[in-house]
Amino acid sequence: GSFEAALDLGEVRLPPCEDGTPGLRTPICEIELEHISGPVETLFDVARALADKYPVKVGTVSKVERGFGLAARRGGLDHPPKGPSVRAGRSPVEPGMTARQAYGALLAHCARQMAANQAAILTDQNASGIHQMRVAMRRLRSVHAAFKPVRPPLGTTEVIEQVKRLFRPLGTARDLDIFCTETMPTLQKEAAGVGPSLVPLAPAAEELRREAWTRAIRSVDDHTFTRMLLDLGHLSATASAPGDGSATSPDATKKDPALAPFARSRLDRRYRQVVRQGGDLKGMDDEARHDLRKRLKSLRYEAAFFAPLWPRHQVKAFVKPLKRLQDEFGAINDAATAASVARLAAERIGGDRAHEAAGFVGGWYAARADLAFRQVVEIWPF
């Protein structure tokens, strides 16, 4: 195979304004690899060799976008906007794909979302960047599960294990973000004068949050993160390459089936799992509720993966009740997280007042969780 490599060195400049507002600049130091011919996997082999030797990162922002970013910063130099987090967007799946081609396209889609949110975390400490990074990782794990019959025998499990290791520090930082920016302000407003003072928890929670962010940044800034993205690119290129999908023999079709029947079978299986597990909602313990929440989330992710295969109104009708249920289960999970983080903060600061405040947080959110689960029982559509 052949490719073209280019080294770009320089900077993007925004000149000073007539009113005296100073100019801005951001440096450029990039290696661009462009595929020309032959297997695309070769390009990722080269990129991985570079990543093993130099401290590089996978770039997703164009020079033009950097210029617009500088212009946005100059609009308010005292409080420059945080770099945007990146949502998943529309599924890359297309009706004419085979199952393996769809698998490759979704791998690349998830990898791009992770890479795009790296800057939001490292440069801007944007809490939404951590959230969207975790969404991308969950989606990737759902892709891994959904396409088990057609994924390559080597490399996939190792990448997923790397994702799981990275997911933990990001999850801790996300939990503390929510506690400090949503849980505490809500309680201080709604429960003012009702229970014990929550003031003792605030400084300890903020300290835990700073520590968690330090660990999260370290994990996303590590060489292993770049290597994981490039490994995903290599897997995507291998899966998407023509070969198995273009063959017409019965054996090739079995290895790489048409996408629509594959997707229908997969969603039907997931749907039946959810229906079966939700057969005794009222008798569920906390562990069973948590497991059902994860299955609903997986079903919704997989429905989104395969959405382009069916008319939009049918997809919307299928996904709408899943979203409502997921929102209520999310409130239940948030309650458990609030109680857990409050206990950690109380242990950090110590003293009866802190533990009393943590107990109040746990009780308050336990009541909210019970209300949310009553909503689940009421709206359960299956």
Side-chain angles (χ1 to χ4, degrees):
S2 62
F3 62 92
E4 184 177 281
L7 176 62
D8 287 350
L9 297 173
E11 59 185 15
V12 177
R13 298 178 184 174
L14 200 65
C17 293
E18 293 181 0
D19 63 3
T21 303
L24 295 173
R25 59 183 60 189
T26 185
I28 295 173
C29 181
E30 297 179 343
I31 301 173
E32 293 185 2
L33 301 177
E34 183 178 350
H35 176 253
I36 295 177
S37 64
V40 179
E41 303 95 293
T42 304
L43 205 64
F44 288 97
D45 289 334
V46 173
R48 290 192 293 191
L50 288 170
D52 288 340
K53 190 171 183 180
Y54 302 105
V56 297
K57 292 181 175 62
V58 177
T60 61
V61 181
S62 69
K63 298 175 184 65
V64 172
E65 288 171 325
R66 293 182 194 186
F68 282 121
L70 288 181
R73 282 180 57 197
R74 190 159 68 179
L77 288 176
D78 292 335
H79 303 284
K82 291 183 180 295
S85 59
V86 179
R87 300 170 67 90
R90 189 177 184 274
S91 170
V93 166
E94 296 177 5
M97 289 179 170
T98 65
R100 281 196 67 190
Q101 288 168 343
Y103 170 69
L106 285 164
L107 284 182
H109 196 65
C110 294
R112 279 194 294 271
Q113 188 185 5
M114 282 191 281
N117 282 292
Q118 187 182 30
I121 296 171
L122 297 182
T123 306
D124 301 289
Q125 282 80 62
N126 189 338
S128 183
I130 279 189
H131 172 57
Q132 292 301 331
M133 178 80 78
R134 294 177 76 234
V135 169
M137 289 178 170
R138 285 199 197 97
R139 292 176 68 246
L140 182 64
R141 291 168 68 175
S142 291
V143 171
H144 180 74
F147 288 87
K148 182 179 179 180
V150 299
R151 68 189 188 217
L154 300 175
T156 57
T157 302
E158 291 81 358
V159 171
I160 294 301
E161 288 303 316
Q162 289 179 338
V163 169
K164 289 178 180 178
R165 286 193 293 271
L166 286 165
F167 192 79
R168 295 187 190 103
L170 294 175
T172 303
R174 176 63 179 167
D175 290 345
L176 283 155
D177 281 339
I178 292 174
F179 187 82
C180 293
T181 64
E182 297 179 20
T183 302
M184 288 293 286
T186 297
L187 274 174
Q188 288 167 343
K189 180 180 178 180
E190 296 183 3
V194 176
S197 171
L198 301 178
V199 172
L201 296 180
E206 287 291 352
E207 183 177 305
L208 288 168
R209 185 187 184 195
R210 287 191 294 271
E211 293 172 1
W213 262 91
T214 298
R215 291 190 294 270
I217 288 173
R218 190 184 301 126
S219 66
V220 174
D221 198 29
D222 192 78
H223 161 263
T224 57
F225 184 84
T226 298
R227 178 72 189 211
M228 178 191 69
L229 293 177
L230 295 175
D231 287 347
L232 282 171
H234 193 279
L235 283 170
S236 170
T238 303
S240 303
D244 290 349
S246 61
T248 56
S249 69
D251 187 56
T253 303
K254 184 178 179 181
K255 290 179 181 177
D256 190 10
L259 184 58
F262 177 89
R264 191 176 296 111
S265 173
R266 178 65 193 179
L267 289 174
D268 182 61
R269 180 183 175 190
R270 275 291 192 197
Y271 179 85
R272 284 187 279 107
Q273 287 175 341
V274 167
V275 172
R276 183 170 61 251
Q277 192 166 355
D280 183 25
L281 283 176
K282 294 181 180 179
M284 282 186 171
D285 57 18
D286 290 342
E287 184 177 349
R289 292 180 185 183
H290 182 64
D291 189 53
L292 179 57
R293 181 182 74 89
K294 291 192 294 184
R295 288 190 184 276
L296 279 167
K297 185 172 288 189
S298 294
L299 176 59
R300 188 180 172 197
Y301 280 147
E302 292 184 21
F305 296 157
F306 300 124
L309 302 178
W310 292 285
R312 184 173 297 181
H313 70 278
Q314 291 181 3
V315 174
K316 188 175 180 180
F318 181 77
V319 169
K320 186 176 180 180
L322 296 180
K323 184 180 185 306
R324 286 192 66 195
L325 287 169
Q326 192 175 328
D327 288 345
E328 297 299 338
F329 271 107
I332 296 169
N333 188 65
D334 289 346
T337 300
S340 175
V341 173
R343 286 194 299 271
L344 286 175
E347 290 169 5
R348 170 62 61 94
I349 199 168
D352 292 341
R353 290 179 61 209
H355 285 284
E356 185 180 0
F360 178 77
V361 172
W364 181 277
Y365 275 90
R368 285 197 164 195
D370 288 341
L371 179 61
F373 194 70
R374 285 200 294 272
Q375 279 292 105
V376 168
V377 174
E378 185 176 326
I379 67 176
W380 186 257
F382 306 117

